[in-house]
């Protein structure tokens, strides 16, 4: 006889933590550090604050448990209001990033997985200190997750008056990890973060007390991405029902103009006429059949303005070239930032960079540096759409590249929704619109490389005469 | 200012459906079919019932929507009690498989994703008919998911008296799909299911009304897997707390013997002495520090019996060879079923098969046939642990195999918990214990291939003299 039961989201992710990247102690240590750092960067650069992030990893913090590390991450970001702190850190599927704007976070799972893993391997609560920009107080919480109910357990809370105008967040948690196995990936993660967020200053102290100061190389920050309304091409029956039930508009004409981007008054009227509906009808009065038809028409209509790219924040070709030069010391660099594209109503921008020669060691496959919404992706390379493009769609010999070659390719995808293959954010699905843009971008920089190689070869031949 | 909100599990999977394999219409059609078929197979072979499964895919079922298909899957399984049907089909994270026993299902998500996708692309409810073995009635429901609350919406329900002793389940749902793009993968899925479950009869009618009758090739069924208790090596602080809060035992000595497998009376006393605790203490009276210490001792103690493999159901070398012969028509086959292993307290068995020559077309990489708990895995091959072993850990030239080679390798992993990388069940994480067993199994059958190749070469040389 089958025994039926339901799981809370916390129980589900507790039982299936490898799906979130927590598959072994080394991987868990890496994932915990990156989840905290990505939250810290979101809390700063989404608000035009030049990030200063202090990461400290201590070992030997628990007498007879050498494999337990204390991870501490401090940022100068916007902080978290005290009423939101317990759920933000101890309730799965709770987030401030469930909106249409480019951020690193998107699932409402990241920090909770670190807290969960900490709890099950060490039994210790997470400690959070935070103060928002206009607040006069700093709030402190020690929290753990009640797994069965997916609710926070507050072990301790306190607040004290601020003596200066510090704002930001400090997160401390104990994690069973494996620094020796995680070390090279952790360092690689910070090095690549320095490429993709050159305006961020990050100070990293590792368990051997080695301190690395990733000093910002620029104070120029891209403008923060704006929150936008859904684009009608991203609509489906359920989204439409949710928009209708939440809307404060009272006519269909207003509803279309208000709840979507890209629909002006003329377009709104056109759509409504196509459906033979009354523009003054209350959207909450639409029948299921009418909603279904409206979804179909919105998806297929071809005259909307394309999705607004101000929900996105890309790097630009200059920053990409500077970043590649600083870490790879190549003899040649090229970059291509593509025009905005759309998939399922989400705007996206693909950026590609290429570096060749110099200090890059020759290899059979190009060194692939993948990024999504300014997050470095280091694992699951071979199931990522960029790997497929760079190693399967492109024939490098057509660009005068002989293997093994001293070649590196950077791919950065920005979107209001990155189509990750998993909640651990390591590889990206091969959505056709995105794959096409990556390929075009790679061919663009590959052509520039070809001109360079051909020119260099001619110069050598001249010299040899 | 950041806007915080929480999502229900249904909202989360609605927003992130590509994480469950629903990334485009072709993939969604494939995934919906397989989720229903995997449920049908679990409902039969877990109970010793010879499966008869009828799969019907109809197109043109909605007048102006050629891309909408009606999928219908009928099985002769144990059926679902009427009280459980609404939640089983319309509440995310609801399942009867959250127990320690080998089944295809494990997440409590599969059929709900198909229902969700059906709902958002067609607005139509799922229809379920079911009757359990001893019931005199068949129950019918039409259901959809209230996404905001993650609760079923019952559009219609009915029941009627059974006129015969039919038992089983029929699921019907409308899906927006792409049969042309999905077709080859769908057929491949059924062909491989025929290898791994040769006792199952499956009748498939596709949208062109082509009917394929996968007739069972044997009535021999492996004994159904048994549900087991957790093994102490799989313990962590939270699992221990849950077992303690649910236990009906009243002494620590009983608790250890009752709630775990592999702990007899002597071992229970030994563990308790190591902890300097009183064997008659009520487990519910343990302090957090005592629980933490107990978890540590249980994880590190080396004298438990290994996990019981009767929670598993593997194929065996005969069935693997028969399966490979029937679909590949090779000149040589070999198979190796490994002894049970353990990872994180879960028992697992790895089985490897190899086929060479005959009708197998030569290729650079071996044709890789992956299975987990009798499910064929067709996507994300290159991020799977088996691909890594077969293409990176093994040097085939050491086994007299010259590339391109007419070579196929089958890997089947059985476990009470398959470490999938994602909830779409397509690739498996490289857990070291499992990777080692796969490698040993592949080397075993590769050695047999080498002997065969060498022997054949000698025979040819004899003939040529
Ligand atoms: N350092 C921080 N500064 C400000 N807010 C933070 C910080 N860390 C976490 N938060 C808040 O807590 C919320 C939950 O964080 P969490 O990492 O679990 O989810 P997320 O970042 O929204 O999504 P993801 O699961 O993709 O990381 C965030 O949305 C943010 O509002
Ligand atoms: N054809 C069927 N016959 C009997 N029971 C079924 C059938 N289909 C679904 N069920 C029941 O409904 C439950 C939910 O199915 P669902 O596919 O959502 O989850 P699961 O199979 O348990 O796990 P997974 O997400 O890994 O597939 C199953 O656990 C099973 O109890
Ligand atoms: Mg986060
Ligand atoms: Mg299932």
């Amino acid at each position: 006889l089958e025994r039926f039961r339901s799981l809370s989201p916390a129980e589900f992710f507790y039982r299936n933590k490898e799906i979130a990247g927590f598959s072994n102690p080394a991987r868990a240590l890496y994932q915990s550090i990156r989840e905290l750092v990505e939250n810290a960067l979101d809390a700063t650069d989404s608000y035009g604050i030049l990030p200063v992030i202090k990461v400290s990893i201590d070992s030997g913090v628990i007498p007879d448990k050498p494999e337990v590390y204390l991870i501490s991450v401090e940022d100068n970001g916007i902080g978290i209001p005290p009423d939101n702190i317990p759920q933000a850190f101890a309730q799965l599927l709770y987030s401030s990033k469930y909106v249409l704007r480019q951020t690193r976070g998107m699932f409402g799972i990241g920090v909770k997985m670190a807290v969960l893993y900490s709890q099950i391997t060490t039994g210790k609560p997470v400690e959070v200190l935070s103060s928002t920009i206009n607040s006069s107080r700093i709030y402190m919480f020690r929290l753990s997750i009640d797994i069965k109910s997916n609710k926070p357990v507050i072990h301790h809370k306190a607040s004290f008056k601020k003596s200066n105008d510090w704002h930001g967040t400090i997160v401390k948690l104990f994690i069973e990890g494996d620094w020796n196995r995680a070390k090279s990936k952790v360092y690689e993660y910070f090095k690549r973060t320095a490429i993709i967020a050159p305006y961020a200053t990050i100070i990293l102290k590792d368990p051997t007390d080695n301190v690395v100061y990733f000093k910002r190389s620029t104070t120029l920050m891209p403008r923060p991405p704006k929150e936008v309304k859904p684009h009608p091409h991203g609509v489906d029956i359920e989204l439409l029902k949710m928009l209708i039930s939440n809307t404060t508009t009272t006519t269909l004409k207003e509803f279309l103009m208000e709840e979507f981007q890209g629909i002006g008054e003329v377009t709104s009227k056109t759509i409504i006429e196509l459906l033979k509906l009354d523009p003054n009808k209350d959207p909450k009065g639409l029948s299921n059949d009418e909603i279904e038809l409206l979804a179909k028409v919105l998806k297929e209509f071809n005259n909307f303005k394309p999705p607004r790219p101000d929900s996105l924040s890309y790097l630009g070709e200059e920053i990409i070239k500077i970043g590649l030069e600083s870490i790879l010391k190549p003899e040649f660099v090229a970059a291509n930032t593509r025009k905005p594209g759309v998939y399922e109503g989400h705007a996206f921008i693909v950026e590609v960079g290429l570096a060749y020669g110099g200090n890059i060691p020759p290899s059979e496959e190009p060194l692939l540096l993948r990024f999504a919404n300014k997050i470095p992706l280091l694992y699951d390379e071979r199931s990522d759409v960029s790997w497929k493009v760079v190693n399967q769609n492109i024939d490098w010999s057509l660009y005068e590249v002989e293997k093994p070659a001293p070649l590196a390719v950077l791919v950065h995808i920005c979107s209001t929704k990155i189509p990750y293959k998993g909640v651990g954010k390591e590889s990206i699905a091969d959505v056709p619109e995105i794959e096409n843009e990556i390929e075009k971008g790679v061919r663009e920089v590959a052509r520039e490389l070809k001109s360079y190689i051909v020119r260099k070869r001619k110069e050598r031949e001249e010299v040899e005469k």
Side-chain angles (χ1 to χ4, degrees), chain A:
Chain A
L1 215 57
E2 298 277 298
R3 288 209 312 280
F4 288 85
R5 63 177 281 218
S6 61
L7 296 184
S8 76
E11 284 176 302
F12 176 78
F13 283 103
Y14 161 70
R15 292 166 60 99
N16 298 300
K17 42 188 148 350
E18 39 301 289
I19 280 178
F22 287 77
S23 38
N24 58 61
R27 200 66 199 258
L29 182 58
Y30 172 85
Q31 197 73 15
S32 301
I33 293 166
R34 69 169 285 206
E35 294 290 1
L36 269 58
V37 169
E38 287 161 23
N39 286 347
L41 286 165
D42 274 346
T44 44
D45 71 10
S46 295
Y47 285 86
I49 299 171
L50 282 170
V52 177
I53 299 173
K54 301 173 190 159
V55 182
S56 179
I57 309 161
D58 288 298
S59 60
V61 283
I62 298 186
D64 58 346
K65 290 192 180 181
E67 73 285 359
V68 172
Y69 302 86
L70 174 60
I71 302 174
S72 167
V73 176
E74 172 177 348
D75 64 66
N76 58 334
I78 55 162
I80 309 154
D83 289 349
N84 301 113
I85 291 177
Q87 288 167 292
F89 286 86
Q91 179 174 314
L92 274 298
L93 307 187
Y94 186 86
S95 165
S96 62
K97 297 165 198 171
Y98 291 142
V99 294
L100 281 168
R101 177 191 66 189
Q102 175 185 325
T103 46
R104 293 167 182 81
M106 64 182 277
F107 296 124
I109 288 175
V111 78
K112 276 77 84 178
M113 286 310 302
V115 172
L116 195 50
Y117 192 82
S118 161
Q119 194 170 315
I120 64 190
T121 56
T122 71
K124 297 201 173 306
V126 61
E127 179 176 294
V128 180
L129 290 99
S130 194
S131 182
T132 52
I133 295 181
N134 293 325
S135 171
S136 59
R137 302 190 75 77
I138 300 178
Y139 296 86
M140 188 276 264
F141 285 82
R142 287 201 194 108
L143 304 161
S144 63
I145 303 173
D146 181 323
I147 295 180
K148 194 154 175 57
S149 65
N150 190 31
K151 292 252 167 288
V153 176
I154 301 177
H155 295 243
H156 189 80
K157 68 178 181 180
S159 75
F160 25 98
K161 214 152 175 27
K162 258 190 331 207
S163 53
N164 54 21
D165 58 3
W166 179 79
H167 57 81
T169 303
I170 307 175
V171 183
K172 295 188 177 156
L173 38 74
F174 291 87
I175 285 275
E176 186 182 284
D178 184 340
W179 175 250
N180 287 332
R181 285 212 174 84
K183 173 179 182 179
S184 64
K185 287 287 209 237
V186 172
Y187 270 105
E188 190 63 30
Y189 178 88
F190 283 105
K191 281 204 260 165
R192 295 194 196 182
T193 294
I195 304 179
I196 208 77
Y199 48 79
T201 285
I202 300 181
I203 303 155
L204 167 67
K205 180 203 89 57
D206 79 17
T208 67
D209 287 348
N210 183 33
V211 179
V212 183
Y213 180 36
F214 296 91
K215 189 175 190 297
R216 68 171 57 97
S217 57
T218 174
T219 56
L220 277 179
M221 281 186 72
R223 57 161 177 65
K226 289 200 173 70
E227 185 182 336
V228 294
K229 305 256 186 221
H231 190 273
H233 282 168
V235 93
D236 61 57
I237 294 166
E238 285 297 330
L239 176 63
L240 212 39
K241 287 182 177 173
M242 284 177 221
L243 290 174
I244 288 170
S245 85
N246 293 335
T247 191
T248 55
T249 61
T250 52
T251 72
L252 203 48
K253 173 155 155 285
E254 269 183 288
F255 171 76
L256 291 180
M257 295 170 63
E258 198 61 32
E259 298 296 342
F260 293 97
Q261 53 162 302
I263 302 188
E265 186 158 6
V266 172
T267 308
S268 182
K269 287 201 184 132
T270 310
I271 299 277
I272 294 169
E273 282 172 19
L274 276 171
L275 292 159
K276 304 188 173 33
L277 289 170
D278 170 14
N280 291 318
K281 182 176 180 115
D282 189 329
K284 295 203 200 313
L286 288 170
S287 72
N288 274 348
D289 284 345
E290 287 170 330
I291 292 177
E292 208 178 313
L293 199 55
L294 175 58
K296 179 166 160 50
V297 167
L298 289 175
K299 269 201 288 210
E300 298 177 359
F301 190 77
N302 273 328
N303 257 346
F304 299 120
K305 306 193 200 71
R308 295 166 46 177
D310 57 351
S311 58
L312 303 180
S313 173
Y314 58 92
L315 293 177
E317 293 167 4
E318 278 321 296
I319 293 186
I320 289 176
K321 289 196 269 192
I322 290 171
L324 284 173
E325 277 165 344
S326 73
I327 59 144
L328 294 175
K329 313 265 182 284
E331 69 184 70
F332 170 83
V333 278
N336 179 226
T337 294
R338 313 288 305 162
K339 291 211 164 28
V342 188
Y343 86 98
E344 297 180 11
H346 287 278
F348 72 89
I349 286 174
V350 167
E351 315 195 80
V352 179
L354 183 150
Y356 185 83
N359 286 3
I360 301 175
S363 56
E364 277 303 317
E365 285 184 7
L367 171 65
L368 182 58
L369 306 172
R370 297 171 292 135
F371 298 88
N373 286 3
K374 301 192 186 169
I375 298 174
L377 310 182
L378 266 57
Y379 285 92
D380 289 351
E381 183 181 67
R382 263 178 270 104
S383 61
D384 190 293
V385 60
S386 295
W387 185 92
K388 177 176 181 241
V389 170
V390 167
N391 290 289
Q392 299 193 322
N393 302 15
I394 306 279
D395 176 358
W396 288 95
S397 64
L398 300 178
Y399 300 95
E400 304 292 329
V401 174
E402 298 170 21
K403 300 202 174 155
L407 176 62
V409 178
L410 180 154
V411 180
H412 181 215
I413 304 167
C414 308
S415 181
T416 47
K417 180 185 170 188
I418 298 285
Y420 288 112
K421 282 188 155 177
V423 302
K425 295 194 190 114
E426 285 300 349
S427 63
I428 296 180
D430 43 350
V431 168
E433 296 87 334
I434 293 181
E435 183 173 340
N436 288 341
E437 280 304 305
I438 297 172
E439 185 168 333
K440 288 183 182 143
V442 174
R443 292 195 184 284
E444 178 67 32
V445 292
R447 276 192 289 272
E448 292 184 43
L449 173 64
K450 175 178 181 179
S451 311
Y452 173 82
I453 290 177
V454 166
R455 195 182 80 234
K456 281 294 171 199
R457 187 182 305 152
K458 285 206 172 77
E459 290 174 6
R460 270 200 315 277
E461 289 163 359
E462 291 289 316
V463 163
E464 278 158 22
K465 283 178 188 164

